Amino acid sequence: MVGPERQSKSTLVTRRKILAGSAAGIATSIAGCSQSDPASPSGSNGGGGSKGAVFTNANWTVPTDAQWNPYNLSNWPVSLVNIVYDSFAEFNDNTKGFEPALAKKWTVNGDMMTVSLRKQTWHNGDQVTANDVVVQYRLAKYEGDLVWNYLDAVTAKDDSTVQFKLIGELNPTVIKRYILPTRVHAPAYVFKEYLNKIENASEGDERDKAIANLLNYAREKPTGNGPYKVDKTTNSKFELSVYKDHPWADDISVKNYEFKYASGNQDRWASLSSGNIDGYGSTYVPPDVYKSLPDSIREVNFTQYADFALVFNHDDEDFGKRKVRQALAHIIDRKTVANNVGPRTRKPIKVPTGTSPFATKKYLPSSVVDSLNKYETNEEKATKLLQEAGYSKEGNKWVRGDGKPLKAPIKVDSGLSDYVSGVQTIVPQLKSFGIQAELKTIEGVSLSKQIRNSDFRLQGDSWGEWNESYPFFDYRSAFVSQDMVEWRNLPDQVTVPWPPENPNGEKKVKPSKMVIELSETTSKEKQQKLLGQLAWIYNITLPKLQMSERMDQAWINEKDWDVPSNDEDVMGVRFPAFWAVKTGAISPK
Amino acid sequence: MSPTEKRTDGGNADASDLPFEQLSPDTMTRGERYRSTIQEWVIAPIQIIWSDRRARVGSIIILFYILMGTVGVMLVPPTQPGDGAQLIKPFQNFAHPLGTDNLGDDLLARTIHATPAMLEMITAGALFTTVLATIVGALSGYKGGNIDRILMTITDILITIPGLPLVIVIAVILNPKEPWMVGIILTINAWAGLARAIRSQVLTLRNESFVEASRLMGISTPTIILKDIVPGLMPYITVNFVNSARGVIFSSVALYFLGILPFTNRNWGVMLNLAYSTGGALYSINIIHWLLVPMITIILLSLGLILFAQGTDRIFNPRVRARHMTVNTEQFEEDGESRITTESQIKN
């Protein structure tokens, strides 16, 4: 049985998840199609004899500082990972299915998931085997990967078949989404030694030391298995070329790829504006910069299924009260907030269900969705809720029962300028209603320390699990995560009107238990019922107040490349600068 | 000495013979004394400042900012997101003369309402630097010995620590919100250099005859420093006060721009940060006003302070003034000589 208590407390996990989840997301790619000048002969060593055959992208890490141990979080070159290593399969937003890559097929049968690997070699010529996967997964266990909440063992049936023994029969959607996006990036010939040391060490200090050794190991050169291999690393860029033994090598027409070092979004905007790029992963571009972009720059949008939210400390004497949270939901105009956070790329969340509007429509039972509170802007309702919660209005200000004013200090990471804009929009709305709201921007590292100590009352932060459309992941992050349970002090048990479709009584429920149940049920009916119940609980209790949903912006320059149209299936995998290039869908003109 | 006291030469002293006992034939009323004080401390400096073109312009600019931070905030109502359409360009809409930002905030109102906090921060920083530097420098230079050694060791340590990283670390730890606190943190080690310079100045003054006289009369150290030493340094201190104010503006704007200081109010540095980071104002000419409005505000105030400092430097510092005059005279004389030489050459 998997419970919240089995969740790892390792902070590394969170960071690892962020990295893994946003590997493609962060992997923004500057590009100077440096060979776009017809007079320049350099670099035209492929791509059907076209004038430009080096695809240029960008990377956050200084190339010479990069290291290739996936368990060491510092200086891991997140952008390159997308083409240097293959994953089992990639989720396609356009088809809502998985595109096979390293795995040629997979099955979930009872408590066993089997993944068959295609024939593929590491860049040193060695076969990629099931053993590599086993070593990687066993190391991930010691690193604290949450997937081990669902696994009993990972074994190699033969060289090309990996078997994942699950803790029982599980929701196949959940387990597939956990396992299939795994990028295989830890060759056994390098990492087996670390695994042996950890497993041979006695529990306690000795094992901790062995794990620390793994986490601190900085690997200088990669042994990849993806379609591109790293040829050269200089201070300013990585140079890569197609790995000829890769199964897709013959289809790829972009023979050379390079990643330039770019330290921030501003660098990328400059390259976009000058039109001198080949492709980015996801990079936020403000509306006015977008307007000024050359015609050849094409935007490809992906729903993020997550975005900005007002987050509460549930131990707070004011915002720990459900009615106060509900009142805020009636005061804040989410449409204006979404518009100010990002006018082109953000949409307001009309009904807070804890998951994305897409998932609400697709997965939640309509009988529950119809009865959910929409929390439209309504001062009367907000007034009534606050009065019921024991607050009263004196003059223009709301005061608590003890006569003190109702204050709403909202902390936000000063580096997240879009969230700062969001809080800046919320503050005057609350103020004009009579709540003493205040914006408090705090530097990121300092803020995350404060949040871990529950030293906050309100925070402008995010909701949802990035890149995921199946609501289990959103509810896991809302009800079960360490973030909510330990830092935001979310109570384990709540009383809500029941049943959701037609509430005529009340019931004590444990949402975290229901989330776990959701991951462990194979019955579609029960899954839908649980999803409806979780949406109802979220909608009533508002663990976070969802404000907006975001579109990721990916970029391709069509000046020198033939690029499929955005609605073609191949463009649905995040992001075209990686997937469409490495599958051969993008080719030189 | 009483009027009947015996004189050393044997005679009786007459009170009227003694210069100390003589009273001025004219008496000043209280009103006259006030007028005199006002004349000496208010009108005269204003007249002196007004006579220098740079100080005059500088004072007008500074006065303008002070008015903006006091009267301006009362005249112009505060703005909030959604007051106007997003990103209106300047001089196109009467309701938003300087345009709006991405939230629809009026940039003019935003600039004006950021002024009081900026002035508070600037004044706090400048006062902190100059007062602390003057106390440490004057005490150290005047007293010498162990006090000097201890104070100068502390000063030297602070001079050695690089200012910006120190400020960044302190700002992150303390997370200051109050403008006066931000001002002090920004100048946390800026006073050290000035303290050393003031100490050197005091060393040249401490053995002057009037200081020596005060010391022999048994006047207390604080009084000597305050009444004899510091007035001699006032020109130097005033100029540095204004320069510190300028330093506070620049470092605060830099740190707000970098997002290190918390955005408790949307001051000019925050406006710059948001224009750059959320709007991409560097890359789109359409929204350049969002960047230019706070920039021009900062540049103008800085210019005002520089002009004022230069003007006061010339007015307060007689040596500088004398040098200017000497140079002018010499210039004239040299010119005269060369003319004569030329004339004599022609005659020859």
Side-chain angles (χ1 to χ4, degrees), chain A residues 270-297:
Chain A
S271 304
L272 275 172
S273 294
S274 65
N276 192 26
I277 70 146
D278 294 322
Y280 285 151
S282 167
T283 296
Y284 167 70
V285 173
D288 273 275
V289 177
Y290 175 78
K291 276 187 222 158
S292 68
L293 296 181
D295 291 343
S296 63
I297 305 285

PDB file of all heavy atoms in Angstrom, chain A residues 270-297:
ATOM      1  N   ALA A 270      16.768  38.596 -28.063  1.00  0.00           N
ATOM      2  CA  ALA A 270      17.619  39.329 -29.008  1.00  0.00           C
ATOM      3  C   ALA A 270      17.805  38.511 -30.278  1.00  0.00           C
ATOM      4  O   ALA A 270      17.689  39.026 -31.399  1.00  0.00           O
ATOM      5  CB  ALA A 270      18.961  39.644 -28.366  1.00  0.00           C
ATOM      6  N   SER A 271      18.066  37.215 -30.124  1.00  0.00           N
ATOM      7  CA  SER A 271      18.262  36.366 -31.309  1.00  0.00           C
ATOM      8  C   SER A 271      16.980  36.209 -32.100  1.00  0.00           C
ATOM      9  O   SER A 271      17.008  36.180 -33.329  1.00  0.00           O
ATOM     10  CB  SER A 271      18.739  34.973 -30.912  1.00  0.00           C
ATOM     11  OG  SER A 271      19.891  35.078 -30.162  1.00  0.00           O
ATOM     12  N   LEU A 272      15.869  36.099 -31.394  1.00  0.00           N
ATOM     13  CA  LEU A 272      14.590  35.988 -32.097  1.00  0.00           C
ATOM     14  C   LEU A 272      14.317  37.244 -32.909  1.00  0.00           C
ATOM     15  O   LEU A 272      13.923  37.183 -34.068  1.00  0.00           O
ATOM     16  CB  LEU A 272      13.446  35.798 -31.091  1.00  0.00           C
ATOM     17  CG  LEU A 272      13.148  34.391 -30.612  1.00  0.00           C
ATOM     18  CD1 LEU A 272      12.138  34.440 -29.491  1.00  0.00           C
ATOM     19  CD2 LEU A 272      12.614  33.526 -31.735  1.00  0.00           C
ATOM     20  N   SER A 273      14.528  38.402 -32.263  1.00  0.00           N
ATOM     21  CA  SER A 273      14.234  39.668 -32.938  1.00  0.00           C
ATOM     22  C   SER A 273      15.099  39.844 -34.178  1.00  0.00           C
ATOM     23  O   SER A 273      14.658  40.401 -35.172  1.00  0.00           O
ATOM     24  CB  SER A 273      14.457  40.851 -32.003  1.00  0.00           C
ATOM     25  OG  SER A 273      13.531  40.786 -30.969  1.00  0.00           O
ATOM     26  N   SER A 274      16.343  39.388 -34.086  1.00  0.00           N
ATOM     27  CA  SER A 274      17.220  39.548 -35.240  1.00  0.00           C
ATOM     28  C   SER A 274      16.907  38.488 -36.294  1.00  0.00           C
ATOM     29  O   SER A 274      17.443  38.530 -37.390  1.00  0.00           O
ATOM     30  CB  SER A 274      18.681  39.448 -34.810  1.00  0.00           C
ATOM     31  OG  SER A 274      18.926  38.151 -34.333  1.00  0.00           O
ATOM     32  N   GLY A 275      16.067  37.542 -35.961  1.00  0.00           N
ATOM     33  CA  GLY A 275      15.682  36.498 -36.923  1.00  0.00           C
ATOM     34  C   GLY A 275      16.800  35.511 -37.171  1.00  0.00           C
ATOM     35  O   GLY A 275      16.740  34.697 -38.080  1.00  0.00           O
ATOM     36  N   ASN A 276      17.791  35.554 -36.335  1.00  0.00           N
ATOM     37  CA  ASN A 276      18.974  34.749 -36.579  1.00  0.00           C
ATOM     38  C   ASN A 276      18.971  33.482 -35.720  1.00  0.00           C
ATOM     39  O   ASN A 276      19.893  33.228 -34.959  1.00  0.00           O
ATOM     40  CB  ASN A 276      20.208  35.618 -36.285  1.00  0.00           C
ATOM     41  CG  ASN A 276      21.470  34.980 -36.769  1.00  0.00           C
ATOM     42  OD1 ASN A 276      21.436  34.186 -37.697  1.00  0.00           O
ATOM     43  ND2 ASN A 276      22.573  35.313 -36.133  1.00  0.00           N
ATOM     44  N   ILE A 277      17.892  32.691 -35.810  1.00  0.00           N
ATOM     45  CA  ILE A 277      17.810  31.476 -35.005  1.00  0.00           C
ATOM     46  C   ILE A 277      17.325  30.310 -35.857  1.00  0.00           C
ATOM     47  O   ILE A 277      16.747  30.504 -36.918  1.00  0.00           O
ATOM     48  CB  ILE A 277      16.829  31.619 -33.833  1.00  0.00           C
ATOM     49  CG1 ILE A 277      15.385  31.673 -34.368  1.00  0.00           C
ATOM     50  CG2 ILE A 277      17.124  32.795 -32.975  1.00  0.00           C
ATOM     51  CD1 ILE A 277      14.415  31.025 -33.461  1.00  0.00           C
ATOM     52  N   ASP A 278      17.523  29.114 -35.374  1.00  0.00           N
ATOM     53  CA  ASP A 278      16.943  27.942 -36.029  1.00  0.00           C
ATOM     54  C   ASP A 278      15.790  27.395 -35.221  1.00  0.00           C
ATOM     55  O   ASP A 278      14.798  26.958 -35.776  1.00  0.00           O
ATOM     56  CB  ASP A 278      18.008  26.856 -36.209  1.00  0.00           C
ATOM     57  CG  ASP A 278      19.073  27.298 -37.175  1.00  0.00           C
ATOM     58  OD1 ASP A 278      18.726  27.965 -38.156  1.00  0.00           O
ATOM     59  OD2 ASP A 278      20.253  27.008 -36.926  1.00  0.00           O
ATOM     60  N   GLY A 279      15.941  27.378 -33.928  1.00  0.00           N
ATOM     61  CA  GLY A 279      14.840  26.870 -33.124  1.00  0.00           C
ATOM     62  C   GLY A 279      15.122  26.938 -31.647  1.00  0.00           C
ATOM     63  O   GLY A 279      16.275  26.813 -31.218  1.00  0.00           O
ATOM     64  N   TYR A 280      14.089  27.186 -30.891  1.00  0.00           N
ATOM     65  CA  TYR A 280      14.143  27.146 -29.428  1.00  0.00           C
ATOM     66  C   TYR A 280      13.269  26.024 -28.942  1.00  0.00           C
ATOM     67  O   TYR A 280      12.319  25.644 -29.610  1.00  0.00           O
ATOM     68  CB  TYR A 280      13.505  28.400 -28.841  1.00  0.00           C
ATOM     69  CG  TYR A 280      14.302  29.653 -28.921  1.00  0.00           C
ATOM     70  CD1 TYR A 280      13.646  30.867 -28.983  1.00  0.00           C
ATOM     71  CD2 TYR A 280      15.675  29.627 -28.878  1.00  0.00           C
ATOM     72  CE1 TYR A 280      14.347  32.046 -29.025  1.00  0.00           C
ATOM     73  CE2 TYR A 280      16.384  30.817 -28.921  1.00  0.00           C
ATOM     74  CZ  TYR A 280      15.710  32.016 -28.996  1.00  0.00           C
ATOM     75  OH  TYR A 280      16.392  33.174 -29.032  1.00  0.00           O
ATOM     76  N   GLY A 281      13.512  25.618 -27.721  1.00  0.00           N
ATOM     77  CA  GLY A 281      12.522  24.823 -27.015  1.00  0.00           C
ATOM     78  C   GLY A 281      11.487  25.815 -26.540  1.00  0.00           C
ATOM     79  O   GLY A 281      11.012  26.626 -27.313  1.00  0.00           O
ATOM     80  N   SER A 282      11.188  25.786 -25.264  1.00  0.00           N
ATOM     81  CA  SER A 282      10.189  26.712 -24.762  1.00  0.00           C
ATOM     82  C   SER A 282      10.862  27.978 -24.245  1.00  0.00           C
ATOM     83  O   SER A 282      11.776  27.913 -23.440  1.00  0.00           O
ATOM     84  CB  SER A 282       9.440  26.054 -23.612  1.00  0.00           C
ATOM     85  OG  SER A 282       8.697  27.022 -22.926  1.00  0.00           O
ATOM     86  N   THR A 283      10.425  29.111 -24.750  1.00  0.00           N
ATOM     87  CA  THR A 283      10.931  30.390 -24.259  1.00  0.00           C
ATOM     88  C   THR A 283       9.778  31.371 -24.222  1.00  0.00           C
ATOM     89  O   THR A 283       9.123  31.584 -25.236  1.00  0.00           O
ATOM     90  CB  THR A 283      12.019  30.951 -25.198  1.00  0.00           C
ATOM     91  OG1 THR A 283      13.118  30.065 -25.180  1.00  0.00           O
ATOM     92  CG2 THR A 283      12.473  32.316 -24.751  1.00  0.00           C
ATOM     93  N   TYR A 284       9.546  31.958 -23.058  1.00  0.00           N
ATOM     94  CA  TYR A 284       8.486  32.963 -22.956  1.00  0.00           C
ATOM     95  C   TYR A 284       8.916  34.210 -23.727  1.00  0.00           C
ATOM     96  O   TYR A 284      10.029  34.702 -23.564  1.00  0.00           O
ATOM     97  CB  TYR A 284       8.231  33.316 -21.484  1.00  0.00           C
ATOM     98  CG  TYR A 284       7.374  34.551 -21.339  1.00  0.00           C
ATOM     99  CD1 TYR A 284       6.026  34.516 -21.685  1.00  0.00           C
ATOM    100  CD2 TYR A 284       7.897  35.754 -20.896  1.00  0.00           C
ATOM    101  CE1 TYR A 284       5.229  35.645 -21.582  1.00  0.00           C
ATOM    102  CE2 TYR A 284       7.120  36.893 -20.789  1.00  0.00           C
ATOM    103  CZ  TYR A 284       5.783  36.827 -21.133  1.00  0.00           C
ATOM    104  OH  TYR A 284       4.998  37.945 -21.045  1.00  0.00           O
ATOM    105  N   VAL A 285       8.023  34.697 -24.566  1.00  0.00           N
ATOM    106  CA  VAL A 285       8.303  35.925 -25.321  1.00  0.00           C
ATOM    107  C   VAL A 285       7.161  36.913 -25.074  1.00  0.00           C
ATOM    108  O   VAL A 285       6.000  36.597 -25.322  1.00  0.00           O
ATOM    109  CB  VAL A 285       8.423  35.621 -26.830  1.00  0.00           C
ATOM    110  CG1 VAL A 285       8.531  36.909 -27.624  1.00  0.00           C
ATOM    111  CG2 VAL A 285       9.650  34.763 -27.086  1.00  0.00           C
ATOM    112  N   PRO A 286       7.479  38.106 -24.559  1.00  0.00           N
ATOM    113  CA  PRO A 286       6.434  39.086 -24.277  1.00  0.00           C
ATOM    114  C   PRO A 286       5.730  39.532 -25.569  1.00  0.00           C
ATOM    115  O   PRO A 286       6.341  39.491 -26.652  1.00  0.00           O
ATOM    116  CB  PRO A 286       7.183  40.262 -23.651  1.00  0.00           C
ATOM    117  CG  PRO A 286       8.544  39.776 -23.368  1.00  0.00           C
ATOM    118  CD  PRO A 286       8.809  38.612 -24.253  1.00  0.00           C
ATOM    119  N   PRO A 287       4.471  39.961 -25.446  1.00  0.00           N
ATOM    120  CA  PRO A 287       3.676  40.282 -26.637  1.00  0.00           C
ATOM    121  C   PRO A 287       4.340  41.282 -27.578  1.00  0.00           C
ATOM    122  O   PRO A 287       4.297  41.105 -28.795  1.00  0.00           O
ATOM    123  CB  PRO A 287       2.403  40.887 -26.053  1.00  0.00           C
ATOM    124  CG  PRO A 287       2.343  40.407 -24.661  1.00  0.00           C
ATOM    125  CD  PRO A 287       3.725  40.149 -24.212  1.00  0.00           C
ATOM    126  N   ASP A 288       4.975  42.317 -27.010  1.00  0.00           N
ATOM    127  CA  ASP A 288       5.537  43.325 -27.912  1.00  0.00           C
ATOM    128  C   ASP A 288       6.787  42.841 -28.624  1.00  0.00           C
ATOM    129  O   ASP A 288       7.061  43.265 -29.742  1.00  0.00           O
ATOM    130  CB  ASP A 288       5.807  44.623 -27.151  1.00  0.00           C
ATOM    131  CG  ASP A 288       4.553  45.466 -27.146  1.00  0.00           C
ATOM    132  OD1 ASP A 288       4.325  46.195 -28.114  1.00  0.00           O
ATOM    133  OD2 ASP A 288       3.758  45.330 -26.199  1.00  0.00           O
ATOM    134  N   VAL A 289       7.533  41.973 -27.968  1.00  0.00           N
ATOM    135  CA  VAL A 289       8.681  41.384 -28.656  1.00  0.00           C
ATOM    136  C   VAL A 289       8.155  40.460 -29.760  1.00  0.00           C
ATOM    137  O   VAL A 289       8.665  40.444 -30.877  1.00  0.00           O
ATOM    138  CB  VAL A 289       9.583  40.612 -27.666  1.00  0.00           C
ATOM    139  CG1 VAL A 289      10.719  39.937 -28.395  1.00  0.00           C
ATOM    140  CG2 VAL A 289      10.121  41.534 -26.594  1.00  0.00           C
ATOM    141  N   TYR A 290       7.086  39.748 -29.438  1.00  0.00           N
ATOM    142  CA  TYR A 290       6.481  38.842 -30.426  1.00  0.00           C
ATOM    143  C   TYR A 290       6.061  39.614 -31.670  1.00  0.00           C
ATOM    144  O   TYR A 290       6.303  39.177 -32.800  1.00  0.00           O
ATOM    145  CB  TYR A 290       5.280  38.131 -29.787  1.00  0.00           C
ATOM    146  CG  TYR A 290       4.500  37.271 -30.755  1.00  0.00           C
ATOM    147  CD1 TYR A 290       4.971  36.017 -31.125  1.00  0.00           C
ATOM    148  CD2 TYR A 290       3.307  37.716 -31.309  1.00  0.00           C
ATOM    149  CE1 TYR A 290       4.270  35.225 -32.024  1.00  0.00           C
ATOM    150  CE2 TYR A 290       2.600  36.933 -32.207  1.00  0.00           C
ATOM    151  CZ  TYR A 290       3.087  35.693 -32.566  1.00  0.00           C
ATOM    152  OH  TYR A 290       2.400  34.928 -33.455  1.00  0.00           O
ATOM    153  N   LYS A 291       5.441  40.781 -31.443  1.00  0.00           N
ATOM    154  CA  LYS A 291       4.973  41.587 -32.582  1.00  0.00           C
ATOM    155  C   LYS A 291       6.120  41.990 -33.498  1.00  0.00           C
ATOM    156  O   LYS A 291       5.938  42.172 -34.688  1.00  0.00           O
ATOM    157  CB  LYS A 291       4.292  42.869 -32.063  1.00  0.00           C
ATOM    158  CG  LYS A 291       2.837  42.684 -31.692  1.00  0.00           C
ATOM    159  CD  LYS A 291       2.227  44.054 -31.350  1.00  0.00           C
ATOM    160  CE  LYS A 291       1.337  43.948 -30.141  1.00  0.00           C
ATOM    161  NZ  LYS A 291       1.127  45.227 -29.463  1.00  0.00           N
ATOM    162  N   SER A 292       7.290  42.166 -32.908  1.00  0.00           N
ATOM    163  CA  SER A 292       8.407  42.666 -33.705  1.00  0.00           C
ATOM    164  C   SER A 292       9.219  41.552 -34.367  1.00  0.00           C
ATOM    165  O   SER A 292      10.217  41.816 -35.025  1.00  0.00           O
ATOM    166  CB  SER A 292       9.335  43.501 -32.810  1.00  0.00           C
ATOM    167  OG  SER A 292       9.963  42.644 -31.885  1.00  0.00           O
ATOM    168  N   LEU A 293       8.791  40.299 -34.193  1.00  0.00           N
ATOM    169  CA  LEU A 293       9.591  39.201 -34.744  1.00  0.00           C
ATOM    170  C   LEU A 293       9.477  39.132 -36.268  1.00  0.00           C
ATOM    171  O   LEU A 293       8.421  39.433 -36.830  1.00  0.00           O
ATOM    172  CB  LEU A 293       9.128  37.860 -34.156  1.00  0.00           C
ATOM    173  CG  LEU A 293       9.308  37.676 -32.658  1.00  0.00           C
ATOM    174  CD1 LEU A 293       8.830  36.297 -32.234  1.00  0.00           C
ATOM    175  CD2 LEU A 293      10.753  37.873 -32.249  1.00  0.00           C
ATOM    176  N   PRO A 294      10.534  38.708 -36.919  1.00  0.00           N
ATOM    177  CA  PRO A 294      10.471  38.557 -38.377  1.00  0.00           C
ATOM    178  C   PRO A 294       9.466  37.468 -38.772  1.00  0.00           C
ATOM    179  O   PRO A 294       9.158  36.587 -37.976  1.00  0.00           O
ATOM    180  CB  PRO A 294      11.884  38.126 -38.763  1.00  0.00           C
ATOM    181  CG  PRO A 294      12.691  38.103 -37.540  1.00  0.00           C
ATOM    182  CD  PRO A 294      11.837  38.367 -36.363  1.00  0.00           C
ATOM    183  N   ASP A 295       8.988  37.539 -39.992  1.00  0.00           N
ATOM    184  CA  ASP A 295       7.955  36.610 -40.443  1.00  0.00           C
ATOM    185  C   ASP A 295       8.405  35.148 -40.415  1.00  0.00           C
ATOM    186  O   ASP A 295       7.595  34.241 -40.280  1.00  0.00           O
ATOM    187  CB  ASP A 295       7.540  36.947 -41.888  1.00  0.00           C
ATOM    188  CG  ASP A 295       6.794  38.263 -41.916  1.00  0.00           C
ATOM    189  OD1 ASP A 295       6.345  38.692 -40.826  1.00  0.00           O
ATOM    190  OD2 ASP A 295       6.673  38.860 -43.002  1.00  0.00           O
ATOM    191  N   SER A 296       9.704  34.948 -40.548  1.00  0.00           N
ATOM    192  CA  SER A 296      10.158  33.554 -40.639  1.00  0.00           C
ATOM    193  C   SER A 296      10.112  32.828 -39.291  1.00  0.00           C
ATOM    194  O   SER A 296      10.229  31.613 -39.245  1.00  0.00           O
ATOM    195  CB  SER A 296      11.582  33.506 -41.180  1.00  0.00           C
ATOM    196  OG  SER A 296      12.450  34.150 -40.290  1.00  0.00           O
ATOM    197  N   ILE A 297       9.953  33.571 -38.205  1.00  0.00           N
ATOM    198  CA  ILE A 297       9.917  32.920 -36.890  1.00  0.00           C
ATOM    199  C   ILE A 297       8.506  32.402 -36.624  1.00  0.00           C
ATOM    200  O   ILE A 297       7.551  33.165 -36.626  1.00  0.00           O
ATOM    201  CB  ILE A 297      10.300  33.916 -35.770  1.00  0.00           C
ATOM    202  CG1 ILE A 297      11.652  34.566 -36.053  1.00  0.00           C
ATOM    203  CG2 ILE A 297      10.270  33.237 -34.411  1.00  0.00           C
ATOM    204  CD1 ILE A 297      12.828  33.688 -35.827  1.00  0.00           C
TER     205      ILE A 297
END
